[in-house]
Amino acid sequence: SLTTERKILPEYLRCQGYATHLVGKWQMGFCNWDLTPTRRGFDTFYGSYGGNSFHFNHTAAHESTGGYDFRDNLNVDLSADGSYSTDLYTDRALQIIEDHNSCSDTRPL
């Protein structure tokens, strides 16, 4: 995993006033909450922590790791089960852009 001692791009962008969102796969560690996307500079996160999940049922592809892996921020999102990952990611990315453009948030996206 990526240590918390090193600052990553979304943390720098947030400090400069940007709105930061991650849609997709994190793959940078999640063994404790401080390593997850919303604690590493992202305002929101939608997707999987690991990189080896099936695209429709969002379970880990390797039996040894097992388990359901799809999140909406810190919450497990069971509503994603049965939906294709790329479609979910596209819909969320469009929603973020539309919401950002329609609200009074003046931060760069």
Side-chain angles (χ1 to χ4, degrees):
S1 69
L2 185 65
T3 70
T4 56
E5 296 166 0
R6 299 201 185 272
K7 205 171 187 179
I8 60 175
L9 182 62
E11 293 170 301
Y12 287 108
L13 291 173
R14 182 187 274 176
C15 288
Q16 294 299 313
Y18 282 81
T20 57
H21 305 275
L22 173 59
V23 176
K25 296 178 182 180
W26 172 239
Q27 294 184 262
M28 300 299 285
F30 56 94
C31 64
N32 71 58
W33 290 122
D34 288 338
L35 298 174
T36 58
T38 55
R39 303 270 176 92
R40 296 305 311 266
F42 289 101
D43 296 324
T44 66
F45 170 66
Y46 185 73
S48 60
Y49 285 154
N52 63 347
S53 298
F54 290 109
H55 291 285
F56 283 98
N57 68 9
H58 313 292
T59 58
H62 301 290
E63 280 187 33
S64 63
T65 55
Y68 186 82
D69 182 18
F70 205 89
R71 301 266 176 172
D72 190 349
N73 293 313
L74 296 177
N75 302 311
V76 174
D77 184 0
L78 295 173
S79 71
D81 188 23
S83 297
Y84 188 55
S85 296
T86 301
D87 293 337
L88 294 168
Y89 298 153
T90 300
D91 291 345
R92 179 56 63 98
L94 290 172
Q95 178 187 348
I96 289 168
I97 293 166
E98 289 169 5
D99 290 350
H100 187 82
N101 289 337
S102 67
C103 73
S104 60
D105 192 345
T106 59
R107 298 178 298 165
L109 182 61

